Structure formats: structure tokens, C-alpha cells
């Protein structure tokens, strides 16, 4: 494959740019690229939607400043993530922030990205709010089922028992 890029010479950059645009356009996760100063140089529409911001407001903004405005622990967690990525290849964290859609729990995985002027980052953002709510609902349901005085047995579709509460 590297031979193909060598043969294509300058054609590889437009092709790479097209691949990047396609990736940013189809990803359901938010993707953002920041330069060594923390300025957003590229962001997917999903990332902008996740934060409830217009793309024009995101591009060329300082991501740490944007996160500080959102409240929660987002700015502090982002700063810590940047520190960890500067000493490792990649790292991840979860952060809480307020968006126009309400409070959100976000999972962020970041990797270092080398620019001529230093280390930037590429990060992938996923909204974990619903998953966290579902986990809490499941814990509450399991707690209620465990404390029930009636015998509760749960079976899979192949008739194998997979759960028995304490009363059983």
C-alpha cells in the first residue's frame, strides 16, 4: 500500500483528505482533532451534535475553553486526559458535562497525533448517558427482584435457567 502512495505522489494527500472527510461524515461517534495548542482543527458533525454546538463555533475554538463553559468535570478531565496522552500512545476517560440536551456522561478515547509544531490529539467521543441509565435501572430491578418474597425464575429461550432470586 505504501508503494501505491509513493507512485501516486501528491495524489495521496487529496485521497487521504477524502477518506478523512468520509470517516468524519459517517461516524456516529464524535471525532475531533486538536492541534498542539488545543485548537480544534477538524470535528465530525456527530461531535458538534453531541455537544450541541454549531460546527462554525467548534472549528478553530480551543476545546478546553469550550468544555470549561459546559460545567461539570469536563474541562478538568480533558486536561488530565491530555497529560496522560502526552506520555502514552492513547488513553481514555469518562466525563460529565451539561449540553443543550441535558447533563451527559461522555466516554472519550484519545491518541496522540504528531504535527510539525508538536503533539496534538485525535479523540473519539461517545454519549454513554443512556447506557448509564440502563445500568442503573437494571441494578434497581435486580435489587427489587432479589428482595421479592415470591420465587422468581428466569429462563432463556432454550429453556435453560439463568437467574434465580433468593426466595427460590
Amino acid at each position: 500500500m505504501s508503494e501505491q502512495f509513493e507512485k501516486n505522489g501528491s495524489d495521496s494527500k487529496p485521497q487521504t483528505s477524502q477518506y478523512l472527510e468520509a470517516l468524519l461524515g459517517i461516524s456516529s461517534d464524535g471525532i475531533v482533532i486538536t492541534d498542539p495548542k488545543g485548537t480544534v482543527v477538524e470535528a465530525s458533525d456527530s461531535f458538534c451534535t453531541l455537544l450541541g454546538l454549531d460546527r462554525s463555533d467548534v472549528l478553530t475554538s480551543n476545546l478546553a475553553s469550550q468544555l470549561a463553559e459546559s460545567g461539570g468535570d469536563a474541562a478538568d478531565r480533558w486536561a488530565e486526559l491530555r497529560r496522560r496522552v502526552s506520555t502514552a500512545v492513547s488513553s481514555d476517560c469518562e466525563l460529565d458535562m451539561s449540553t443543550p440536551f441535558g447533563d451527559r456522561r461522555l466516554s472519550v478515547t484519545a491518541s496522540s497525533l504528531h504535527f510539525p509544531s508538536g503533539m496534538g490529539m485525535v479523540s473519539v467521543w461517545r454519549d454513554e448517558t443512556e447506557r448509564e441509565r440502563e445500568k442503573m435501572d437494571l441494578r434497581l430491578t435486580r435489587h427489587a427482584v432479589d428482595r421479592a418474597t415470591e420465587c422468581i425464575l428466569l429462563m432463556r429461550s432454550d429453556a435453560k435457567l439463568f437467574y434465580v432470586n433468593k426466595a427460590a
Side-chain angles (χ1 to χ4, degrees):
M1 185 167 214
S2 62
E3 291 174 20
Q4 178 184 3
F5 285 119
E6 288 174 22
K7 288 178 188 174
N8 290 341
S10 63
D11 293 339
S12 65
K13 289 198 184 231
Q15 190 175 29
T16 302
S17 178
Q18 289 172 346
Y19 289 144
L20 178 61
E21 287 177 27
L23 175 67
L24 293 173
I26 64 168
S27 177
S28 60
D29 293 334
I31 300 173
V32 65
I33 299 171
T34 55
D35 70 11
K37 293 180 182 177
T39 302
V40 176
V41 294
E42 190 58 74
S44 67
D45 289 338
S46 298
F47 176 78
C48 299
T49 300
L50 187 64
L51 270 58
L53 299 170
D54 291 328
R55 185 174 169 76
S56 60
D57 294 333
V58 172
L59 293 177
T60 71
S61 70
N62 183 281
L63 186 54
S65 298
Q66 288 278 359
L67 295 175
E69 291 175 16
S70 73
D73 65 355
D76 293 338
R77 300 299 303 265
W78 177 253
E80 176 60 28
L81 182 63
R82 281 183 58 88
R83 279 190 288 280
R84 287 197 317 260
V85 169
S86 70
T87 61
V89 175
S90 67
S91 190
D92 56 74
C93 73
E94 290 191 348
L95 50 86
D96 297 310
M97 64 183 292
S98 295
T99 72
F101 312 110
D103 292 340
R104 294 286 183 223
R105 164 62 59 109
L106 303 175
S107 171
V108 182
T109 301
S111 298
S112 58
L113 186 63
H114 298 282
F115 285 81
S117 59
M119 186 208 72
M121 288 184 7
V122 59
S123 53
V124 178
W125 299 59
R126 177 172 290 154
D127 189 347
E128 299 289 346
T129 308
E130 288 305 314
R131 184 180 66 86
E132 290 295 319
R133 284 184 190 141
E134 289 168 1
K135 281 175 40 178
M136 179 59 82
D137 288 348
L138 185 58
R139 277 188 287 244
L140 291 172
T141 301
R142 181 149 189 171
H143 182 73
V145 168
D146 281 345
R147 295 199 176 274
T149 56
E150 297 85 15
C151 173
I152 298 176
L153 308 172
L154 300 177
M155 299 175 74
R156 297 189 316 218
S157 60
D158 62 1
K160 290 188 179 184
L161 194 63
F162 75 90
Y163 178 79
V164 178
N165 73 340
K166 292 177 184 177

